[in-house]
C-alpha cells in the first residue's frame, strides 16, 4: 500500500471478524515492530501475543468492551523501564519508544488489511494479573488484531494551521 493511502486508511477498528491472522502476516508485523527506532537503540520492549479464544472473560477484566475480544488476537506492548534510555535531566524515553514500536506495528497491520485500535484506557492492575507481568514490566498499550468488521468514518482532526508554529512558540 502507498504510504499516503496507509496513513489515511488506518483507523480505530472497533468490530472484528473471527477469522485467524495468518502466521506469515504475524511474522511481518513482528519485523515491523523490531525495525522501529528506539532511543540509543535500546529496544526496551516486549510484545505479548494473546489468543482470545476461551480467554474472553479474563481479557475483559483488562478492557471491558465487547469488541476487545472479538478479534482472534490481542497484543500488549510492554515497556521495560530499566532497559530504556534516560536523558541527562532524567527524562525517560520509554513511552516514546513503545509508541513508535506500536505505530510501526499498527501501520504494517493496516498495510496487510488487518485492523487494530490503540487502547490506553485499560485496567493496568488486571493486565498485570492476567498476563503475570513482573513488577519491572510496564503494560503501555493494547490492541486487538484481526480483520475489520466495520468501516472507517470521517476523520475529525484539527487543521494543520492550528497545530504548527514556525520559528518559535
Ligand atoms: C495513545 C492512544 C490511546 C488510545 N486509547 C484508546 C482507548 O483506550 N479506547 C479506545 O476505544 N480508543 C483509544 N484510542 C483511539 C483514539 O480514540 C483514536 O485514535 C482517535 O479518536 C482517532 O481516531 P482514528 O484512530 O479512527 O483515526 C487511543 C489512541 C491513542 C493514540
Amino acid at each position: 500500500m502507498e504510504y499516503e493511502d496507509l496513513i489515511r486508511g488506518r483507523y480505530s477498528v472497533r468490530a472484528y471478524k473471527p477469522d485467524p491472522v495468518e502466521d506469515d502476516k504475524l511474522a511481518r508485523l513482528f519485523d515491523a515492530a523490531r525495525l522501529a527506532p528506539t532511543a540509543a537503540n535500546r529496544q526496551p520492549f516486549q510484545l505479548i501475543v494473546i489468543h482470545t479464544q476461551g480467554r474472553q472473560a479474563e481479557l475483559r477484566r483488562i478492557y471491558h468492551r465487547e469488541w476487545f475480544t472479538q478479534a482472534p488476537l490481542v497484543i500488549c506492548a510492554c515497556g521495560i523501564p530499566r532497559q530504556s534510555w534516560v536523558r541527562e535531566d532524567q527524562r525517560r524515553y520509554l513511552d516514546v519508544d513503545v509508541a513508535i514500536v506500536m505505530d510501526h506495528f499498527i501501520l504494517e497491520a493496516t498495510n496487510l488489511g488487518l485492523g487494530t485500535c490503540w487502547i490506553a484506557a485499560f485496567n493496568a492492575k488486571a493486565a498485570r494479573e492476567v498476563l503475570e507481568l513482573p513488577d519491572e514490566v510496564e503494560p503501555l498499550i493494547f490492541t486487538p488484531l484481526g480483520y475489520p468488521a466495520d468501516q472507517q468514518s470521517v476523520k475529525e482532526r484539527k487543521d494543520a494551521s492550528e497545530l504548527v508554529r514556525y520559528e518559535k512558540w
Side-chain angles (χ1 to χ4, degrees):
M1 195 185 278
E2 290 290 328
Y3 182 72
E4 292 292 329
D5 296 333
L6 193 61
I7 58 173
R8 282 171 178 72
R10 184 218 54 82
Y11 69 99
S12 293
V13 174
R14 295 190 177 96
Y16 293 86
K17 297 175 184 170
D19 311 21
V21 177
E22 298 85 344
D23 286 345
D24 60 316
K25 289 194 175 182
L26 263 186
R28 285 176 64 175
L29 288 163
F30 299 153
D31 214 34
R34 191 179 71 81
L35 291 171
T38 53
N41 203 20
R42 294 284 184 85
Q43 303 162 70
F45 70 93
Q46 294 277 303
L47 299 177
I48 304 180
V49 179
I50 306 148
H51 291 83
T52 57
Q53 193 168 25
R55 294 189 74 179
Q56 283 90 346
E58 57 173 351
L59 289 173
R60 283 204 198 127
R61 284 185 56 214
I62 298 176
Y63 190 65
H64 191 67
R65 295 284 185 284
E66 205 216 322
W67 51 266
F68 182 57
T69 55
Q70 262 178 0
L73 299 174
V74 164
I75 308 294
C76 174
C78 297
I80 305 167
R82 69 172 167 76
Q83 293 181 359
S84 66
W85 181 75
V86 179
R87 199 168 59 190
E88 61 180 7
D89 61 0
Q90 303 310 305
R91 201 338 178 146
R92 189 177 286 283
Y93 272 73
L94 180 69
D95 292 15
V96 175
D97 286 344
V98 174
I100 298 169
V101 167
M102 205 55 176
D103 210 40
H104 267 56
F105 186 98
I106 278 177
L107 288 174
E108 178 67 0
T110 308
N111 184 42
L112 296 172
L114 291 160
T116 55
C117 183
W118 289 81
I119 294 170
F122 61 87
N123 181 325
K125 184 169 178 287
R128 291 192 168 284
E129 288 170 7
V130 170
L131 303 178
E132 300 180 18
L133 301 180
D135 289 345
E136 60 166 20
V137 172
E138 275 292 328
L140 290 173
I141 288 288
F142 280 83
T143 180
L145 180 68
Y147 288 93
D150 63 2
Q151 288 198 334
Q152 184 174 28
S153 51
V154 176
K155 282 213 182 297
E156 291 181 16
R157 294 292 194 269
K158 295 178 184 174
D159 192 81
S161 63
E162 296 177 67
L163 298 167
V164 181
R165 293 164 198 255
Y166 291 93
E167 316 312 346
K168 62 179 182 176
W169 184 265

